[in-house]
Amino acid sequence: MDIKDLLYSDVPKGNVEIGSLLIAEPLMKDPYFGRSVILVLDKPEDNGHFGLILNKPTEMTLQDLMPEWEEGKRIPIYCGGPVDLQRMFLLHTLGEELGDSMEVAPGIFVGADLDKIISYIEDGGEVEGRMRFFIGYCGWSPGQLAAEISGNTWAVNTFAGGENLLKGLGDDYWRREVADLGEDYRSWLIVPTDPSLN
């Protein structure tokens, strides 16, 4: 029996909505998408999909992008995806407290007023678990994401809550989100990060 038969034989196929999570299948080797969890930020009618990888930190801090701002050195930057690495995005749980924000999942907002972000951080506002900055994003052309889901590249969780989405990183984050998918995906959790070492 092929390992793929064990991993994908009974997994359900979900529909992607704004706020859905895409959880990468465990054998994916891509440096951006392997063991990644992506929050879908929009579902345009004819223009594909757009989202941010949630669990892949970079070695950069906000001060690398804003050198004159000393407080930025304590704020990590995450890799949102391989597209347009000159663009920065913000996800947060602070709602209208930061202004110019749009809710994309329960309790998770995208966008904010830069002056309010700076004031919040300089006033000692909590960053971990409350806000996360990203460089780049993920994009799919029309029909591409549906084809990838049909091909078992992604599992879809349409009931993602905001409470933990901005907490954790790396493989531990991915494992947590796989576990949240339920029994159908339990076999994914036994696949080592590098199956060739097993």
Side-chain angles (χ1 to χ4, degrees):
M1 178 178 271
D2 189 288
I3 189 171
K4 291 189 177 183
D5 292 333
L6 293 171
L7 295 176
Y8 311 122
S9 61
D10 296 319
V11 296
K13 307 290 190 260
N15 291 321
V16 178
E17 304 291 337
I18 296 171
S20 294
L21 288 182
L22 304 176
I23 297 110
E25 60 92 4
L27 297 174
M28 189 185 300
K29 299 281 192 239
D30 185 278
Y32 282 100
F33 299 119
R35 302 279 171 130
S36 66
V37 178
I38 298 173
L39 178 66
V40 176
L41 297 181
D42 69 359
K43 186 185 178 185
E45 292 299 317
D46 300 312
N47 296 321
H49 290 81
F50 164 82
L52 295 172
I53 301 171
L54 297 174
N55 61 321
K56 304 254 176 162
T58 70
E59 295 181 1
M60 298 171 61
T61 69
L62 211 48
Q63 191 178 35
D64 292 316
L65 304 178
M66 303 168 67
E68 71 287 351
W69 190 40
E70 185 70 18
E71 283 292 312
K73 70 182 176 188
R74 67 181 181 94
I75 314 295
I77 301 287
Y78 286 74
C79 175
V83 182
D84 199 353
L85 297 175
Q86 303 303 310
R87 288 186 64 185
M88 185 170 72
F89 300 88
L90 169 65
L91 293 177
H92 61 89
T93 64
L94 300 168
E96 285 305 312
E97 184 178 338
L98 296 184
D100 297 331
S101 300
M102 179 179 79
E103 191 171 28
V104 292
I108 296 290
F109 297 80
V110 65
D113 178 272
L114 182 59
D115 291 334
K116 289 184 178 180
I117 294 169
I118 290 172
S119 293
Y120 173 84
I121 292 171
E122 289 183 343
D123 289 344
E126 184 66 33
V127 173
E128 178 60 31
R130 304 297 308 273
M131 60 172 54
R132 193 165 275 191
F133 294 85
F134 302 86
I135 289 289
Y137 66 91
C138 305
W140 292 267
S141 59
Q144 181 184 2
L145 184 54
E148 290 180 8
I149 291 168
S150 293
N152 297 311
T153 300
W154 305 103
V156 180
N157 186 347
T158 55
F159 302 105
E163 186 175 327
N164 289 315
L165 285 187
L166 303 182
K167 296 177 182 175
L169 49 85
D171 190 62
D172 288 342
Y173 189 114
W174 177 85
R175 294 180 66 79
R176 180 187 77 203
E177 297 304 325
V178 170
D180 195 46
L181 290 169
E183 269 315 295
D184 291 327
Y185 293 89
R186 188 172 182 169
S187 62
W188 286 26
L189 295 172
I190 63 172
V191 178
T193 307
D194 185 352
S196 68
L197 298 178
N198 196 12

